[in-house]
Amino acid sequence: MENRSCGLRRHRSACHRRAWVNGEKQRAPIRYNVFGGTTGGPIRRNKAFYFVGYEGSRRRDGSTSVLTVPSLLERAGDFSQTYNTNATLAVIYDPTTGTPATRTPFTGNRIPAARLDPVALNVLKAYPLPNRQPDNVAGANNFAANPINVLNSDVVTAKADYSFTDAQRVSFRSIWNQFDAGARSVFADPAAESVLNRDAKGWNLLGSWTSILRPTLINEVRVGFVTRATLAYAPGYGTQAPAKLGLRGIPDESYPRFNINGYTALGSNNQYRDQAPIQQPEFADTVSWIKGSHSLRIGADVRRSRNRDDRRQLASGAFTFTRGITGLTGRATTGNGIAALLLGSPSSFQAARPPIIDRSSWYVSGFIQDDWQISRNLVLNLGIRWELDTPFATKDNILNSFDPLTVNPVSGTRGVIRFAGVNGFPESPHNLDRNNFAPRVGLAWKPFGNTKTVIRTGFGIFFAAPYDGGDATLAAVLGYGTALVIPTGDNGTTIPFTLSQPIPVQTVNNTLDDRYGAVPTGTQPTAAVTFFDRNRATGYSMQMNLNVQREVAKSMMVSAGYIGNLQRKMPGDPLSLNQIPPSQLTPASSQINRPYPQFSDVQLLSPPIGVTNYHAFIGKAEKRFSGGFNLLATYTYAKALSNTTQLQSLGNSVNAYSNAYDRRADYGPSENDIRHRLTWASVYQIPYGRGRRFGSSSLHGRILGNWSVSSVLLWQTAPPLTVTTSTNTTQAFSAGPLRADVIRDPNLHASQRSVSRWFDVDAFAQPAANQFGNQGVNIVRGSGRTTLNAGLLRDIPIREGLRFQLRGEAFNLFNHANFGLPGQTLGAANFGVISSAASPRQLQIGLRCIF
């Protein structure tokens, strides 16, 4: 056979190819179909497949929002009817009348009208008025409404495959998507809503080239490029809310955040964030080689990640109002967060306006794996992988670090801020960890020499991403933007300004030296330091499993096994290094007693100190689709213990730390410790219809023809949570919230639980002054979850290659109430009260055209 070129023009949609087959010249056109496949003459060595698809969605989902808002009396400064969960009066003390231990209560538990801060009165107008009977005497959940969540999405997919020869094939895929989300607010002032509006779009390109070099040797090259942009902004962004409220000294960009102890917060903690572009090009190559009883795979992967981030999450600041400002030291049932707001006395304030940060990093990996067929009944898998995540690089060196040993020239105490590339300091946030070798071993054995029983086991080490969720790479920019943190002592000492006074926001200091951010000892600090440990290690996970599978019937398999996951050196929440040691605590402890009194805080970012131990027994039954029915059911009994918070938390999501000097007290059930979990998924085709057992010619066939029923069931037990206090009385400036003392088992029997008292609230107490609570982490259980989703589908054949599909689906078919977490703050109005639930029953119907 002889081939000759015909000089094809690539821009044409059809071409003619000449070839000589068995001495005879052939001429036949090849035309490409946009919707897939090829058409043409007898010679089709070049085959192409094209596909273009679009999917759009316009959703408006209703939900229920339950809030705790100030009562009409409280809005006027009258707290004579404000009670604690134990029905005792929440006595309001005047913070100007003495020390936190000797204050005088307001007469009649009412704040005089002349003392009400005008800015605070404007803030309260954002709350809707109560519209329902509260769930308890403390006034929890006294407002309910139905907001609407909005989601608009568009996805365009294009795919092309082309075979040059039987041994050379290329493929290309492109996905463009856009998602816009938001919500219609239930607040009196929608600018105070905390739910963000999100505008996101992205483009994913992937190409691959597969070459069969020899019958036993295959090479695959993959090249990819992902780019996306995300804009998230609070509804109050761009409304000039601070000026309208009467606040002075902060930018008018957005509605500030108001965290008010015991009440629903106003505003957002993420007021504006524009990420564009987020890019990740990738190159990967894998060689597969079969040599005798060995099947080898060798490969490498290189990626570069870039994120340009304009993040102004606290552009207009965040205020916190606790009970301690209007309460007595050690008396968790005194004081009120709204009372502190009305007096214009926040317990802390922070604002941040970092610069635009453009950071990038590299990921490089290589691996070799051998699947060794030792015998007909035994396969051994051996492999090793090496991974390298480089420290991120920052454009213009916008990065700070911290030297804990050098004496600060301003305060005379140890601790100075360092800056990337200044005075010889490294430009990277930490050193490179090159020692990331991950061995893998696995085994599959048929002990009885047939396929009915198989035993599988394996062990491998897997390395984690270097940072916790990625946001850590946006921190450590002190010195390059506007920042201010003004804390108070844990006893509720009033800070030196009120809402009606100008807020002393710190301005940029261009002198990046050892003096930066520090204040003389005894002076109120205004700079909070975040930094990375220079010698931080990469976290890793040791994963293992043992599984026994048995075929019990035709197309039916059951299995039982064990899964273990032991994580070490995992990145955790920022850890404060500026806590006063417990041995030095006294009633007079203050900022001057902290290790670094010249700074309001010093936090270690993504500290690699996380430990998690997960063990689980898993049983599974699986029936492959046959006879119009399939099934996949699993049961898991598991236990998860950890000393750090998880990125995706089902239970308690507060900071895992309490006392930085006692990490053993932070170890306990993980917030994702789900002891029992059962799932079921199946599809049943009613046996009437075209291509089914009974056909569709009969009356039954015409009525029941081509119908299918599907079901998905999920049942699981409750996640755990930790009870904290509303007032930290340790005087330690502790690394995290103060855990309450526990007197007895707080978990109630199911018959004793209600949404207004999910656990025994009287089992907790405020720890003594200068003492940490005796409670371990996550000792209280929330609510479990039960959900059954069902679907009904009918295929409507029109002609060959064309059919319609009518679908009806029900989510949470039986409308089971899957409650959210109860209130976890001792002394808050919603303590022990459930204020939220997952989605109720939702119905949807759809029509799909398949051709």
Side-chain angles (χ1 to χ4, degrees):
M1 184 176 77
E2 180 182 3
N3 291 325
R4 298 179 182 177
S5 171
C6 64
L8 302 181
R9 299 195 179 192
R10 297 186 179 183
H11 70 274
R12 300 187 61 179
S13 60
C15 70
H16 291 80
R17 169 164 297 179
R18 289 190 177 95
W20 280 258
V21 179
N22 296 327
E24 181 179 357
K25 187 169 69 173
Q26 304 287 327
R27 179 181 176 89
I30 301 177
R31 297 181 178 87
Y32 302 105
N33 190 336
V34 173
F35 295 99
T38 63
T39 62
I43 297 180
R44 301 240 310 259
R45 293 184 59 193
N46 293 7
K47 299 181 180 179
F49 173 83
Y50 299 122
F51 172 82
V52 177
Y54 166 80
E55 180 178 346
S57 175
R58 301 294 184 270
R59 294 179 52 178
R60 303 295 183 268
D61 297 330
S63 61
T64 300
S65 180
V66 180
L67 313 178
T68 299
V69 302
S71 68
L72 294 176
L73 290 176
E74 291 171 345
R75 291 166 183 259
D78 187 346
F79 295 88
S80 61
Q81 302 299 313
T82 300
Y83 296 94
N84 297 297
T85 53
N86 60 3
T88 60
L89 184 68
V91 181
I92 309 301
Y93 289 81
D94 186 347
T96 65
T97 57
T99 68
T102 62
R103 292 168 175 164
T104 302
F106 283 105
T107 303
N109 226 33
R110 297 179 179 89
I111 300 175
R115 296 283 302 277
L116 301 180
D117 190 282
V119 174
L121 294 175
N122 290 334
V123 171
L124 287 179
K125 294 177 183 178
Y127 279 113
L129 297 176
N131 64 359
R132 70 185 296 267
Q133 191 69 23
D135 286 341
N136 61 12
V137 69
N141 302 336
N142 56 356
F143 174 84
N146 300 107
I148 297 177
N149 299 319
V150 178
L151 174 63
N152 299 327
S153 68
D154 298 282
V155 181
V156 177
T157 303
K159 183 176 181 181
D161 295 326
Y162 190 84
S163 298
F164 294 100
T165 67
D166 291 340
Q168 300 290 330
R169 185 178 72 237
V170 296
S171 65
F172 171 79
R173 185 188 68 191
S174 170
I175 300 176
W176 177 88
N177 59 72
Q178 179 168 322
F179 297 90
D180 298 335
R184 298 176 184 172
S185 178
V186 299
F187 285 90
D189 183 356
E193 176 63 68
S194 60
V195 178
L196 297 180
N197 298 314
R198 295 184 183 274
D199 302 333
K201 58 184 177 182
W203 194 17
N204 185 316
L205 299 172
L206 176 64
S208 67
W209 177 19
T210 303
S211 302
I212 302 177
L213 306 178
R214 291 201 300 267
T216 60
L217 186 64
I218 300 175
N219 185 75
E220 182 184 22
V221 177
R222 287 184 292 113
V223 178
F225 181 75
V226 177
T227 181
R228 58 191 177 94
T230 301
L231 174 63
Y233 57 96
Y237 185 80
T239 61
Q240 289 78 49
K244 295 177 181 178
L245 294 173
L247 290 166
R248 293 176 292 163
I250 59 176
D252 281 337
E253 290 191 40
S254 185
Y255 198 100
R257 174 78 168 185
F258 293 92
N259 298 300
I260 306 170
N261 182 236
Y263 298 82
T264 299
L266 298 173
S268 175
N269 270 329
N270 296 286
Q271 294 160 14
Y272 179 89
R273 186 176 187 182
D274 183 12
Q275 293 176 270
I278 306 171
Q279 295 176 338
Q280 187 179 73
E282 177 184 11
F283 175 85
D285 186 67
T286 302
V287 177
S288 300
W289 181 30
I290 299 176
K291 180 68 172 176
S293 61
H294 296 269
S295 179
L296 292 168
R297 297 181 74 240
I298 304 172
D301 191 356
V302 179
R303 308 174 206 164
R304 181 180 185 270
S305 298
R306 179 195 175 196
N307 189 338
R308 182 185 182 276
D309 207 321
D310 182 4
R311 186 175 188 182
R312 312 171 211 165
Q313 72 264 38
L314 295 179
S316 294
F319 300 87
T320 298
F321 299 87
T322 66
R323 299 179 68 133
I325 291 292
T326 57
L328 289 183
T329 299
R331 297 278 299 277
T333 57
T334 63
N336 181 273
I338 290 293
L341 171 65
L342 285 171
L343 291 171
S345 299
S347 56
S348 66
F349 172 78
Q350 56 180 326
R353 178 67 182 273
I356 296 176
I357 303 169
D358 194 345
R359 289 179 171 169
S360 60
S361 62
W362 288 87
Y363 169 82
V364 180
S365 69
F367 74 92
I368 181 171
Q369 179 176 318
D370 180 16
D371 297 333
W372 181 16
Q373 186 82 44
I374 298 177
S375 69
R376 191 167 64 83
N377 299 321
L378 181 62
V379 176
L380 181 64
N381 311 112
L382 298 171
I384 190 167
R385 186 180 185 91
W386 176 77
E387 296 183 345
L388 180 70
D389 277 289
T390 68
F392 60 79
T394 303
K395 185 179 180 180
D396 300 325
N397 280 343
I398 300 177
L399 176 70
N400 75 265
S401 187
F402 185 71
D403 179 352
L405 300 178
T406 300
V407 175
N408 195 292
V410 176
S411 62
T413 55
R414 291 184 176 184
V416 297
I417 302 172
R418 300 293 192 191
F419 301 94
V422 177
N423 296 326
F425 198 82
E427 296 181 0
S428 63
H430 53 83
N431 297 327
L432 186 63
D433 186 0
R434 298 181 176 87
N435 190 31
N436 296 337
F437 290 93
R440 316 281 169 85
V441 59
L443 180 146
W445 178 41
K446 293 181 287 187
F448 306 117
N450 56 54
T451 59
K452 290 185 177 294
T453 303
V454 180
I455 298 175
R456 305 177 192 275
T457 186
F459 172 85
I461 293 179
F462 301 84
F463 287 95
Y467 312 107
D468 53 349
D471 279 355
T473 60
L474 306 177
V477 294
L478 192 63
Y480 302 94
T482 302
L484 176 68
V485 177
I486 303 180
T488 67
D490 294 330
N491 60 358
T493 304
T494 306
I495 62 174
F497 76 90
T498 63
L499 292 180
S500 295
Q501 298 173 338
I503 300 169
V505 174
Q506 177 187 1
T507 57
V508 176
N509 183 344
N510 293 322
T511 306
L512 304 181
D513 57 21
D514 290 358
R515 298 169 297 169
Y516 185 88
V519 297
T521 301
T523 305
Q524 180 69 55
T526 58
V529 185
T530 58
F531 73 106
F532 294 91
D533 184 357
R534 292 294 311 168
N535 297 313
R536 69 191 313 276
T538 303
Y540 63 94
S541 169
M542 296 177 286
Q543 300 181 21
M544 60 211 75
N545 67 79
L546 174 64
N547 190 272
V548 180
Q549 297 177 329
R550 175 70 181 178
E551 182 182 346
V552 295
K554 183 180 179 181
S555 71
M556 182 73 178
M557 181 271 292
V558 296
S559 66
Y562 159 81
I563 291 179
N565 189 344
L566 311 180
Q567 299 179 0
R568 300 294 183 267
K569 300 180 181 179
M570 299 299 288
D573 290 327
L575 176 64
S576 174
L577 306 182
N578 211 15
Q579 176 190 322
I580 301 174
S583 60
Q584 300 177 18
L585 290 175
T586 69
S589 295
S590 64
Q591 176 72 27
I592 198 173
N593 303 113
R594 303 178 77 177
Y596 309 105
Q598 66 272 31
F599 302 115
S600 56
D601 206 356
V602 176
Q603 288 188 341
L604 188 62
L605 292 173
S606 296
I609 56 178
V611 172
T612 298
N613 295 314
Y614 175 83
H615 303 277
F617 164 82
I618 297 180
K620 182 171 75 171
E622 181 178 3
K623 181 185 182 302
R624 294 187 297 274
F625 191 82
S626 64
F629 178 72
N630 75 341
L631 166 68
L632 177 62
T634 64
Y635 166 73
T636 304
Y637 172 71
K639 186 175 184 179
L641 302 174
S642 180
N643 69 351
T644 187
T645 55
Q646 308 296 307
L647 291 179
Q648 300 294 329
S649 173
L650 297 175
N652 192 44
S653 59
V654 299
N655 194 316
Y657 317 126
S658 181
N659 178 4
Y661 297 94
D662 183 14
R663 289 302 325 284
R664 290 175 61 90
D666 298 333
Y667 184 77
S670 163
E671 58 265 33
N672 291 334
D673 179 40
I674 305 298
R675 293 297 170 89
H676 302 274
R677 179 182 173 93
L678 175 68
T679 65
W680 166 291
S682 68
V683 175
Y684 174 64
Q685 285 185 343
I686 297 175
Y688 289 93
R690 181 179 297 180
R692 301 188 184 182
R693 182 177 179 184
F694 297 113
S696 57
S697 59
S698 65
L699 177 62
H700 289 89
R702 288 193 296 271
I703 297 174
L704 301 176
N706 300 100
W707 286 96
S708 299
V709 180
S710 63
S711 62
V712 177
L713 171 69
L714 168 64
W715 172 84
Q716 66 184 34
T717 52
L721 56 95
T722 303
V723 171
T724 59
T725 66
S726 58
T727 304
N728 193 328
T729 53
T730 63
Q731 290 294 97
F733 300 90
S734 48
L738 175 63
R739 299 178 196 138
D741 275 343
V742 60
I743 302 170
R744 56 180 179 269
D745 184 4
N747 292 289
L748 298 175
H749 188 271
S751 62
Q752 300 173 298
R753 291 175 176 170
S754 67
V755 293
S756 61
R757 186 182 172 88
W758 192 255
F759 56 83
D760 183 2
V761 295
D762 297 323
F764 297 95
Q766 180 78 21
N770 301 131
Q771 297 293 321
F772 287 89
N774 64 6
Q775 180 193 175
V777 294
N778 295 326
I779 67 170
V780 180
R781 292 281 168 171
S783 172
R785 181 180 177 185
T786 303
T787 302
L788 175 62
N789 302 331
L792 186 62
L793 178 150
R794 186 179 190 185
D795 274 324
I796 307 174
I798 304 300
R799 56 178 173 80
E800 184 70 25
L802 176 64
R803 61 191 171 98
F804 285 94
Q805 193 177 83
L806 180 65
R807 304 176 64 96
E809 295 170 312
F811 303 94
N812 193 6
L813 177 64
F814 296 120
N815 205 30
H816 186 273
N818 292 302
F819 296 121
L821 297 177
Q824 306 155 42
T825 305
L826 177 67
N830 66 343
F831 183 48
V833 178
I834 289 179
S835 306
S836 64
S839 299
R841 177 172 52 231
Q842 295 180 335
L843 305 176
Q844 73 178 29
I845 188 170
L847 181 65
R848 185 181 183 189
C849 178
I850 302 173
F851 60 94

